[in-house]
Structure formats: structure tokens, C-alpha cells
Amino acid sequence: MSETIRIERLGVKADGIGMGPGGPAYVPFTLPGESITAERQGQRARATAILEPSPERQAAPCPHYTHCGGCDLQHASPPLYADFKRDLVVEALRRAGLDAPVHAMVPTAPGTRRRAVFSATRAGTRILFGFHEAMSNRIAPIDTCLVLKGEIVSALPALRKLAEGLVARKGETRLTVTLAGTGLDIAVETGQTLSEPLRARAMQIALSSDFARLSVNGEIVIEPRPPVVLAGDVPVLLPAGAFLQAVAGAEAEMARLALAHFQGSRQVADLFCGVGTFAFRLARHHATHAVENDAASLAALDRAQRAASGLKPLTSERRDLFRRPLTAKELKRFDGVLFDPPRAGAEAQARQLAESSVRRVVAVSCNPLTLARDARILVDGGYRLTEVTPIDQFLWSHHVEAVALFERV
């Protein structure tokens, strides 16, 4: 049944939130101030007509928009979009009782994302390949993407062909695609058994498509060129499917903020260091201790370090920082600490930092809510939150990266 709803504001996932005869409604792809007709299912609703469009509404540039779930806000004007993302950070901090300078969001241009995870599944006799629809397990087939680097977009037909051969009979097959400096690295996770005919077909597709490397379920199938990325100016050979900051420009901005904050520090720690994204940049200026739980990432860091020159002392340690954070006693030797955890944040580590004597801390976060929680812990432990910079690493989505700087009072 259709009803008229007036959209009042945007929620944290970029849905328009309004009130209709059926009560509150969350309506994707709408904007504050708009009057719409919608069909609802519980509190979720789908706009069927925009009766009064917002002056901030613009035409979405992508033909897959509203079907593919990767983007939420292509229909919003750039100023509204930037304010929305900055406000996500401001509001999360406010709810934690924190008031700190939050800068304007650092933008990201279209066509700059170098890493994406595609999904493939069987639908009867068809193979669906693309991204998930919003809030759904259904896959929206795509033939272009305005967010991704051109090299990945150009490879979509080959990736689809690869997925068609490797997709499992049941469940979902995932392809993690990373554009390294030497070409595309493709890491496939599938329930399909890799028979010799399938292996040969996959190798042929990889060779004809000039992929740098293809791995299936962690096994390297073919590697014409090792996939190498730069961590600052240090070449690092990526493990298959390894985490990498999605946009190189965003990564560089995060590193710039951290390096400026640590100016004058002698010994720093890089926690949740991955393959050394920040550690190698830090080690150009400071003795650095890098901590990570993923063995393959640490091995890549170690190989890259042994080949690098001109670094300050760089040590590494494998450790689960969720279960066994560096203690306040262990932190005594550092005057600077950077932590860049997954979306769950770094609560246990923040509690140890709050009890430590570390002078400067940098928190890099992809989740404003857990950032605010961890920031509250640090502030309660005697730190001052000096500034926060939102960074638009995930273009047109409701996700926002942020870098927060802390100093011990």
C-alpha cells in the first residue's frame, strides 16, 4: 500500500528517514526535505515517486545505481554528500561526549579505487557476477563501475569468465581483485574443486588477460609477475588477497597526517600494521615496531624490509592485539603509537594506551562509532583529542575513514 512520506534527515547508512501514516520509515535514495510516495515493509520503504525533489538532488552518473549496493549517495550534491560524511564523524564523537575540531572531508575522485571484492553465484542455469544489492544476498550483475580504477573495469569480462568456471554449485564464490604496480592480482575463494581441466582453463584466462597473479583458495595457480605495491617508497610483494587501503591517495593522506603528528618522536609502534603500509613510511624517520596477527602479511613486511635501504631500525611481532594488546608496561619504550584496526576498533589496546605514558597517538579508523568509543577511552585516560580528519576513501557510500590525533595532557 502506498503512502506519502516527508524525508527529514539522513541516517547513518544514508537512508532518508521520515514519518508517514505507518510511522517512521527508512527510505534509500532519498534526501532531506523531499516529499515522496513509498511502499513500506515494516520500517523499511521503497520510494515509488519523488513528489517534491530536494534542490540537492542530482542525476546519478552510474547506470547500475540503486541496483548495485556499492553506492548510496550518487543522487546527492557534492556539498550535501561531504557534509553528510563529516557529520557521521562529528555525531559519533558527540554521542561519546567528545568535542574536537573535525576538519572538512578529504575527497576522493572517481576511478581511483584499486581494490574490490566481486561475488558470483549460480541462479538456475545462469551465473551471476557483480556486487551485492543493498541489504541483500542477491547479486547485481554489472558491466562498469565508476569508483574502480580503469584497469579493473576493463578486466570485468575476463573476471566474469573466470568466475563462471570457478563458481561453486552452492554458496557464493568471491574474487578479491587488487591493482598492484605490476598488474591485477586475483584471489578466488570458492567451494569448487580445482580439477586439472578447471586449473588449465583458469590459467589460460589469466594469461590471455595479462593478470599478474591468480590464486584459488590460497594456492597460487599462476604468477607471471609478482604483484608489488609501494608502502611509501618501499616495494612490498602482496600476499594473496591481503588487505590494502582501497585508494592510494587516501592512504598517502593518512600517512601524511601521522608523520606530521609524530614529528620529534624517536620510537613509534604501528599496531595492526598489515604489510607495512604505515610502518615503512614511519621507519624513514623513526625507530619503528610493527605488530600484526596475520602471518602472511608479516612475512611480506619482513621480505620487503630485508630488501629496503635507508630505514631506521624496524622490528616486527606477530600478535593478536584483540586478545593480547601491548600492555602499558610494554608501551613505555614508545613515544608515539599508530593503530589502524578493522571495523571492530581497538578497545582492548586503547585501554592499555590509556594507562600508558605514550605522548602521541594516531588512530586510523573506518568506523566512526568504534573510533568514538576508543577515543573516549583515551580521553578518559588523560589524552587530548586535538583534531580529526575524515577521508572519503569509499566514494559515494555511507562509509568514511577518519584519522584522529591525540596528545597526552
Side-chain angles (χ1 to χ4, degrees):
M1 187 174 184
S2 183
E3 61 183 85
T4 301
I5 298 172
R6 186 77 175 182
I7 303 300
E8 299 169 359
R9 58 189 175 88
L10 293 179
V12 294
K13 293 190 175 181
D15 291 339
I17 302 176
M19 185 69 69
Y26 295 80
V27 193
F29 313 119
T30 59
L31 296 174
E34 292 187 329
S35 180
I36 67 168
T37 57
E39 295 178 349
R40 75 158 68 219
Q41 188 170 16
Q43 290 190 331
R44 303 292 306 173
R46 178 181 65 86
T48 54
I50 308 293
L51 303 178
E52 296 178 29
S54 165
E56 302 296 337
R57 176 172 286 275
Q58 65 175 25
C62 179
H64 300 301
Y65 189 55
T66 74
H67 300 291
C68 164
C71 293
D72 309 298
L73 284 163
Q74 288 189 13
H75 62 292
S77 69
L80 175 62
Y81 172 76
D83 287 345
F84 165 76
K85 286 209 165 179
R86 179 182 177 274
D87 287 346
L88 289 176
V89 178
V90 171
E91 181 62 14
L93 294 172
R94 186 194 66 78
R95 290 189 177 187
L98 299 171
D99 183 17
V102 178
H103 298 299
M105 183 183 70
V106 177
T108 287
T112 56
R113 183 161 180 162
R114 59 181 174 177
R115 187 175 189 270
V117 180
F118 298 94
S119 296
T121 191
R122 294 181 183 272
T125 58
R126 296 185 302 147
I127 304 296
L128 300 180
F129 170 83
F131 293 128
H132 282 135
E133 296 179 11
M135 301 183 69
S136 171
N137 290 325
R138 294 190 301 269
I139 293 174
I142 64 166
D143 54 23
T144 190
C145 178
L146 303 186
V147 171
L148 297 177
K149 298 279 283 185
E151 293 90 334
I152 300 178
V153 176
S154 297
L156 284 175
L159 294 171
R160 186 179 298 107
K161 186 177 179 182
L162 182 66
E164 287 171 353
L166 296 176
V167 68
R169 291 192 176 276
K170 293 183 179 180
E172 189 172 289
T173 293
R174 290 160 59 90
L175 289 78
T176 299
V177 180
T178 304
L179 178 60
T182 49
L184 292 180
D185 178 34
I186 318 297
V188 182
E189 300 171 53
T190 180
Q192 175 72 279
T193 300
L194 192 61
S195 64
E196 285 309 311
L198 281 180
R199 181 187 297 271
R201 181 176 185 273
M203 291 175 65
Q204 188 275 326
I205 293 171
L207 285 170
S208 63
S209 305
D210 198 30
F211 294 159
R213 180 176 65 189
L214 170 65
S215 60
V216 178
N217 295 335
E219 175 195 349
I220 295 177
V221 174
I222 190 169
E223 186 180 76
R225 299 177 304 281
V228 173
V229 297
L230 289 178
D233 58 1
V234 175
V236 179
L237 172 58
L238 279 179
F243 173 79
L244 188 69
Q245 297 291 347
V247 176
E251 175 185 294
E253 179 62 16
M254 289 184 263
R256 185 192 69 79
L257 291 166
L259 288 171
H261 191 55
F262 289 144
Q263 190 170 7
S265 299
R266 291 190 299 175
Q267 293 197 64
V268 300
D270 178 10
L271 310 183
F272 307 94
C273 69
V275 298
T277 297
F278 299 116
F280 285 115
R281 290 172 165 97
L282 292 169
R284 286 291 177 204
H285 308 278
H286 320 277
T288 302
H289 184 59
V291 184
E292 170 61 48
N293 190 45
D294 182 68
S297 294
L298 271 187
L301 185 152
D302 182 63
R303 284 192 301 268
Q305 177 194 357
R306 285 187 273 113
S309 60
L311 299 177
K312 301 287 186 182
L314 174 57
T315 55
S316 61
E317 175 185 0
R318 186 181 181 191
R319 187 161 174 165
D320 184 345
L321 292 167
F322 292 110
R323 297 185 178 186
R324 198 163 64 92
L326 265 66
T327 65
K329 182 178 179 180
E330 291 173 299
L331 290 165
K332 280 184 178 179
R333 65 189 176 106
F334 304 111
D335 44 9
V337 168
L338 180 149
F339 63 90
D340 179 18
R343 289 188 60 79
E347 182 176 3
Q349 188 60 71
R351 294 194 183 281
Q352 291 299 317
L353 279 164
E355 297 178 9
S356 77
S357 58
V358 175
R359 291 177 53 233
R360 293 192 177 102
V361 173
V362 174
V364 179
S365 172
C366 60
N367 184 344
L369 296 178
T370 55
L371 171 64
R373 180 202 63 203
D374 296 344
R376 180 75 262 175
I377 293 169
L378 292 175
V379 169
D380 289 345
Y383 284 92
R384 179 168 61 94
L385 177 54
T386 61
E387 61 181 275
V388 183
T389 303
I391 297 174
D392 190 22
Q393 180 155 223
F394 308 103
L395 181 64
W396 290 322
S397 80
H398 63 273
H399 298 292
V400 62
E401 199 91 16
V403 178
L405 308 182
F406 300 83
E407 293 181 353
R408 185 159 282 289
V409 177

